[in-house]
Amino acid sequence: MPQDNKQDIKAIIFQLNEEEFAISVQQVSGIERMQHITRVPQTASFVKGVINLRGVVTPIIDLRKRFGLDAAEFTDSTRMIIVYMEDMEVGLIVDAAYDVIDIPQDAVEPAPEVVGAVDVDYIEGVAKLEDRLLILLNLNNVLTDDEVQALKTVEG
Amino acid sequence: METNEYLEVFIDESKEHIQSLNDHLLELEKNPSDLTMVNEIFRSAHTLKGMSATMGYQDLADLTHKMENVLDAVRNHQLTVTTEILDIVFEAVDQLEEMVLDIASGGEGSKDVARLVEQLNAIERGESIPEDSSKAAVPASEPVQNSSASDLASTLDEFELTVLRESNDQGYKNLELHITLREDCLLKAARVFMVFEILEQSGEVIKSDPTVQDLEEELFEQSFTVLLVTKEKAEEIEKKVMKVSEIESVKVQKFSIDQRSGKSDSPVDTQEAAEGSGATAVAEAPAKQEKDTAKKAPVSNKTIRVNIDRLDALMNLFEELVIDRGRLEQIADSLKHVELQETVERMTRISGDLQNIILNMRMVPIDQVFNRFPRMVRQLAKDLGKQINLEIEGAETELDRTVIDEIGDPLVHLIRNALDHGVELPDIREQKGKPREGSLKLNAYHSGNHVFIEISDDGAGINREKVINKAVSNGVITNDQAENLTEKQVYQLIMESGFSTADKISDVSGRGVGLDVVKNTIESLGGNITIDSGLDKGSVFSIQLPLTLSIISVMLVEIKEEKYAVPLSSIIETAVIKKSNIMSAHNKKVIDFRGNVVPLIDLQDVFEVPGEKLDDEYSSVVIIRKGEKMAGLIVDTFIGQQEVVLKSLGNYLTDVFAISGATILGDGQVALIIDSNSLIV
């Protein structure tokens, strides 16, 4: 861990449906503005399509759809957060992405049993920071397990 | 010991030598009296021995040495080539290969070769050849070492003589250097290289004996001779060369053309002039004789070894260029600026040529894969008690390196399969009225943007009933489905997973991994495999492979707002069809296309493209094919033909139905590439 303070998690904060989420910076390779997305037919509904990310064809996932939230129009603040997971590179569409902040390890609490409609297994924990409540995402579970399996076996 | 940097070269070269051993041994088997073959084999074995001893792989060297002894006995007519001898030699070569592979994968290359060594010894003794005589024969018959230094003069050709004469006139000195390396010198080739580098700084090397090529391959014992044209003094040269470590001695003599036919032992201080005009007459005779040897040398310098990674990097860069080229073309078109358009056109042409060259650079003859099959077939035929005649055609057909790397295993599998399940035992063949010897043909050829590889045998063929029964009992298909299968569909069944028709599992094939693996590998390469068979007539497995995996020609089409690319290789033609010409058969839309009934596939339905359906009187249709089957893809508009770079959808989206990949268009957007093979069932 290269961080100065081992107690802190450096995380990117993004917004989705009025809630704030956090992903560790180590998993993020960049934040992109919206651009043309090419739809890929016959894939899971939350797979928005693919984009040309500086010459690399990168799949894009609509996080709202993934979390079962209502769809929203893309605005000027809509962003794609490009994340690495294992050997995959995937973009996540979020309502807005903010700065990087340090979350002290001791501010993180394990995920409560029930957090609204979001399935518990992609939540690693919840961090309380002054007046903010941040949901820490477990990226592997956002895309792997059943969902990716389902994706990989999509067939006509 | 810093032998590591030579390891790669050692492994590469060892593999080459083992391959040539295999090739020549097979030749020898066909024609046992051909002593030139024995010489070739001997040469390869000898080089291999030298190299492995240098690199410190003792077992490898020992085994090669024993093999060499046997070969030497053969060469000296003390032994006659028999199948038994060849079997053991073949086995020895196999062991050698295993050792080399072991070294390549980081091992020590050690192996218990005592039994083989014993066998080889037995062969040697069995023919009552006294041990020492064969040993004595070894050095005497090594062609390269044999040529002693004094032969150097007689191997000069006219050109070299002219150079020597002229240099004399211009005040240069012609020196003959006799350099001896120390006995314990490990990397002879490296020392030779260093010596040459020094010599080339001080003058010009006209000739060396053995040839530079042989020197680089270490085809010499301890000493070699070099003819140098220089202005420097003999003593200086001697001093410089002695600075290279592991050099035993350097003898520098003045070289005189007149002496070339005699012994050129004259020491440096004998200062007789060499510029006799009488030299010319004598020069011609030996020069002519030696022309053949002189011709060989320059050819070897026309190729260089390039690391495949570098070629890949070049290819990647070029792909970027192709994308930008597309972008430029688009900009030029929209700006309608004549000069810009002309420039872009020129650039497109040049980059097209560049593309051909780069792609060609990556092409390797399929022989690289085929060349191991004769051995394999021979062994398999022996193991199975069958008689097989293997014919290979089109081994010179070239394929992209990446495809070559992948295609070996599937082919091995298919050949094993053909030998095991296809070709019958000799007695059974006789009963069926076929020649006892079965035939297996391997044929490769180019056609369009594809390479076809056919593996055909004249064996039992595929038993339709047996396949269907097996498929039903394995649950691959149901009874109902079995009723309506065409011959081809039945044959395709044997490539489904969980299928194996062999009644009993044999050692050769049918070890659980089936033809489905073959099929998957080939499809992952963008190819396909079809089977044709006749009961008791034989089977043909034909594999179709793309020439290259990275840049392909496509037809861009538009469906609503979305653009898709159809590989040109699968398109027969495009057509515009009147609504009234579309007919219905079994609830499926079909058209009559040049006398064939072709089913139509509406891509908007398949790809669930959002938007209202066009209700025009005419439909644009792309006619595609897979083998003999055809289909028409209904699209909204044709955009045009383009060269695109094939990109994968990444590891996240795998196995998307009917999409084989993506590409980046000139405007920066991604277009999906349609996998027409999966649209035709």
Side-chain angles (χ1 to χ4, degrees), chain B residues 200-357:
Chain B
E200 253 142 4
Q201 276 164 12
S202 9
E204 200 165 348
V205 175
I206 300 297
K207 183 118 192 145
S208 74
D209 182 43
T211 62
V212 178
Q213 198 190 349
D214 284 347
L215 287 173
E216 277 170 2
E217 289 174 9
E218 306 200 337
L219 288 172
F220 67 107
E221 226 43 328
Q222 238 60 48
S223 59
F224 59 98
T225 308
V226 177
L227 201 52
L228 181 76
V229 176
T230 180
K231 272 192 167 162
E232 290 181 38
K233 281 191 188 133
E235 299 89 85
E236 271 172 43
I237 301 277
E238 187 173 343
K239 257 188 239 158
K240 279 186 183 173
V241 175
M242 277 311 281
K243 280 195 183 140
V244 178
S245 49
E246 295 189 307
I247 301 266
E248 181 77 46
S249 69
V250 182
K251 261 191 269 165
V252 184
Q253 303 166 333
K254 187 151 175 91
F255 179 76
S256 125
I257 305 172
D258 285 339
Q259 290 162 336
R260 84 204 153 274
S261 45
K263 293 249 169 188
S264 53
D265 281 340
S266 52
V268 187
D269 40 7
T270 12
Q271 292 285 344
E272 318 105 335
E275 54 271 17
S277 59
T280 344
V282 204
E284 264 152 10
K288 265 180 198 157
Q289 283 169 10
E290 299 302 326
K291 258 189 182 154
D292 304 31
T293 37
K295 260 184 216 156
K296 277 182 192 163
V299 182
S300 63
N301 295 331
K302 285 207 169 169
T303 56
I304 50 166
R305 270 176 211 270
V306 180
N307 191 322
I308 188 81
D309 290 343
R310 284 201 199 175
L311 289 184
D312 284 344
L314 180 63
M315 190 68 193
N316 285 340
L317 285 176
F318 185 73
E319 285 173 2
E320 300 287 316
L321 203 64
V322 170
I323 292 171
D324 285 338
R325 178 179 81 190
R327 175 106 184 101
L328 265 182
E329 280 175 290
Q330 206 171 20
I331 294 172
D333 273 355
S334 61
L335 286 181
K336 303 235 178 301
H337 186 288
V338 180
E339 273 180 56
L340 178 63
Q341 274 173 327
E342 276 172 10
T343 316
V344 169
E345 233 166 71
R346 240 183 79 80
M347 207 191 99
T348 307
R349 259 203 315 277
I350 293 172
S351 68
D353 292 347
L354 191 59
Q355 177 181 333
N356 281 337
I357 291 172

Side-chain angles (χ1 to χ4, degrees), chain A residues 110-156:
Chain A
E113 284 299 307
V114 178
V115 180
V118 181
D119 200 343
V120 176
D121 63 330
Y122 18 87
I123 296 180
E124 193 144 271
V126 177
K128 271 187 240 148
L129 253 117
E130 289 156 31
D131 54 341
R132 299 164 90 180
L133 191 70
L134 300 174
I135 301 169
L136 269 64
L137 278 187
N138 178 338
L139 269 188
N140 284 335
N141 289 348
V142 169
L143 295 138
T144 48
D145 291 326
D146 306 346
E147 300 302 331
V148 168
Q149 286 317 312
L151 261 184
K152 283 189 172 165
T153 53
V154 167
E155 247 168 315

Side-chain angles (χ1 to χ4, degrees), chain B residues 77-92:
Chain B
H77 303 281
Q78 288 154 329
L79 270 181
T80 10
V81 179
T82 62
T83 324
E84 289 74 43
I85 294 182
L86 280 179
D87 276 347
I88 291 170
V89 176
F90 267 130
E91 202 181 323

Side-chain angles (χ1 to χ4, degrees), chain B residues 507-551:
Chain B
D507 192 34
V508 177
S509 57
R511 269 178 285 198
V513 210
L515 285 169
D516 55 321
V517 180
V518 173
K519 191 182 171 195
N520 285 343
T521 314
I522 290 167
E523 283 180 353
S524 72
L525 291 171
N528 65 62
I529 175 167
T530 52
I531 307 175
D532 205 359
S533 177
L535 196 55
D536 285 338
K537 294 222 171 59
S539 325
V540 183
F541 287 76
S542 37
I543 300 170
Q544 185 190 2
L545 290 168
L547 267 187
T548 169
L549 295 176
S550 44
I551 297 182

